[in-house]
Amino acid sequence: MSNSFFSLLILVLLYTISVSAINPHENYDDDSFISSLGDSVFTLQVPVLEENTLDNLLSFGYYRKSCPKFESIIHGKVKEWIQKDSTLAASILRLHFHDCSVRGCDASILLNHDGSERTAYASKTLRGFEVIDDIKAELEKQCPKTVSCADILTAATRDATVEIGGPYWDIPYGRNDGKVSIAKEAEIVPMGHENITSLIEFFQSKGLTVLDLVVLSGAHTIGRSSCGSIQYRLYNYQGTGKPDPSIDPKYLNFLQRKCRWASEYVDLDATTPKTFDNVYYINLKKKMGLLSTDQLLYSDLRTSSLVSAFYATPSLFKHQFGVSMAKLSNIEVLTEEDEGEIRTNCNFVNAY
């Protein structure tokens, strides 16, 4: 089987998964679908989601009556913060991922008390809390005791992504805020040192697929990492006293000069660090993945073909990123029928 034909099969598969994930009941005529694929793959548009209530009781119109300005307030605040500091976009994305990775998307990462997830080692470089606090304060003025911190963080993540050139995706609302946050539980969040099997198993435990793993790793098209997280790759990989051989020599030289001190920071995407694009995957093909978990995506047979597909088709990456983010934000959410609350301050549980 030729490489070009294999690549086409991957693109057809990914496109089909992407569309069915958003419109699971929509049927396609096979002949017309395949014949239009050539144009469609490069002009993907996020479908308009119809008003409905999902099985888990989240609704696309949840705040329509109780807080009609909900999304516009979040959009305005996120835009304001990112115009002042564009690096906050990546920080908010990471904050959302850490939240959903532990106890689901319940804003437990925002709770600020001794022994909370926020105090864990895995959380020590998290940023963006002040953005969520600012949004929450404004929403409490406009719609007191109405909008959950979990919904705020989810929407702010989408708007931050859009603000730096990423895709838009529709979000259903109605998440409640969790009342429990335990630092030790945050140890399960991937830190960039894992092998691909561990990452796949972690994502599967959250109801996500290998496809979601590869596309959500593409969030590393923006943002930074501490040099302390990668120094083992630069100087003593697997106890050899030598650098990781999978790093491009020129890139290695740059990193060794940049990361003499663990406290320094380096861009996750060395080529276009401030632009949300598919260059992250191009870097992997060039052996320029900053974290070992990034580079392994290209060398592992279970994920390498997906990396190649996103490398070849930028629009496919952006479309699928929106689909996978929508799945991520729906992990183990708390609704009105579950335990939870609407916090009046995102940092603390309510006092009754």
Side-chain angles (χ1 to χ4, degrees):
M1 183 181 293
S2 69
N3 289 335
S4 60
F5 182 67
F6 182 64
S7 296
L8 178 60
L9 284 179
I10 292 175
L11 291 175
V12 172
L13 174 63
L14 285 175
Y15 182 77
T16 304
I17 293 172
S18 301
V19 174
S20 63
I22 291 185
N23 288 315
H25 304 299
E26 188 168 350
N27 295 317
Y28 294 89
D29 176 78
D30 290 343
D31 292 335
S32 62
F33 172 61
I34 296 297
S35 65
S36 64
L37 180 64
D39 295 329
S40 298
V41 159
F42 297 95
T43 58
L44 291 174
Q45 300 293 324
V46 177
V48 176
L49 289 161
E50 296 180 0
E51 171 61 33
N52 65 343
T53 300
L54 303 184
D55 291 339
N56 59 14
L57 303 183
L58 299 185
S59 168
F60 292 106
Y62 190 83
Y63 294 114
R64 181 171 295 169
K65 294 181 180 179
S66 60
C67 194
K69 294 183 179 180
F70 159 70
E71 287 201 321
S72 63
I73 289 172
I74 292 181
H75 173 74
K77 287 291 187 180
V78 168
K79 185 179 183 70
E80 179 183 320
W81 278 93
I82 291 180
Q83 284 180 342
K84 291 187 294 185
D85 182 0
S86 62
T87 67
L88 282 169
S91 297
I92 295 171
L93 260 169
R94 185 167 175 240
L95 195 58
H96 182 50
F97 179 77
H98 274 246
D99 180 45
C100 296
S101 294
V102 184
R103 292 182 172 269
C105 306
D106 66 346
S108 56
I109 190 62
L110 304 179
L111 289 174
N112 192 15
H113 59 75
D114 290 343
S116 69
E117 294 167 34
R118 188 165 169 172
T119 67
Y121 176 80
S123 307
K124 70 176 184 176
T125 57
L126 292 179
R127 300 169 62 233
F129 296 101
E130 69 277 18
V131 179
I132 307 304
D133 289 342
D134 187 29
I135 295 170
K136 180 61 173 175
E138 183 60 29
L139 284 168
E140 283 300 304
K141 293 178 184 176
Q142 300 291 332
C143 320
K145 302 179 181 180
T146 301
V147 181
S148 70
C149 301
D151 278 344
I152 291 172
L153 180 54
T154 301
T157 299
R158 189 267 314 278
D159 288 0
T161 303
V162 172
E163 197 63 31
I164 54 168
Y168 176 93
W169 61 93
D170 284 292
I171 298 172
Y173 299 111
R175 296 164 187 78
N176 277 357
D177 298 322
K179 300 178 184 180
V180 179
S181 185
I182 302 171
K184 188 175 182 179
E185 294 182 353
E187 294 175 3
I188 67 170
V189 181
M191 296 293 289
H193 302 166
E194 297 77 13
N195 57 44
I196 295 299
T197 298
S198 295
L199 289 177
I200 290 174
E201 290 175 350
F202 172 79
F203 271 66
Q204 288 178 337
S205 73
K206 304 300 175 182
L208 301 174
T209 65
V210 175
L211 172 59
D212 297 317
L213 163 62
V214 176
V215 74
L216 292 178
S217 295
H220 290 170
T221 182
I222 55 172
R224 304 181 301 169
S225 172
S226 67
C227 286
S229 298
I230 62 163
Q231 282 185 328
Y232 76 100
R233 295 190 72 200
L234 309 182
Y235 306 109
N236 188 28
Y237 185 64
Q238 295 184 346
T240 62
K242 298 179 180 180
D244 185 344
S246 69
I247 306 176
D248 173 79
K250 290 183 179 179
Y251 187 46
L252 174 63
N253 181 263
F254 164 77
L255 291 175
Q256 288 178 331
R257 287 185 288 108
K258 179 77 173 177
C259 286
R260 291 190 178 96
W261 303 99
S263 57
E264 293 294 323
Y265 284 85
V266 62
D267 292 320
L268 287 161
D269 176 352
T271 310
T272 57
K274 295 183 179 181
T275 305
F276 193 99
D277 54 28
N278 75 323
V279 173
Y280 163 80
Y281 300 102
I282 296 174
N283 290 340
L284 300 188
K285 292 177 76 78
K286 295 179 178 179
K287 298 184 177 181
M288 292 174 60
L290 183 66
L291 305 180
S292 62
T293 47
D294 292 325
Q295 194 58 53
L296 285 172
L297 292 176
Y298 186 59
S299 60
D300 194 287
L301 292 177
R302 293 167 291 182
T303 53
S304 59
S305 58
L306 296 170
V307 171
S308 296
F310 294 134
Y311 163 93
T313 316
S315 59
L316 187 62
F317 161 57
K318 286 192 174 183
H319 173 79
Q320 184 60 43
F321 188 83
V323 174
S324 294
M325 282 299 297
K327 289 177 63 179
L328 172 70
S329 67
N330 204 31
I331 293 175
E332 299 174 28
V333 298
L334 300 174
T335 60
E336 292 179 356
E337 293 187 351
D338 303 307
E339 291 185 6
E341 63 182 6
I342 306 298
R343 286 184 222 143
T344 55
N345 183 319
C346 292
N347 299 286
F348 310 102
V349 297
N350 293 335
Y352 293 99

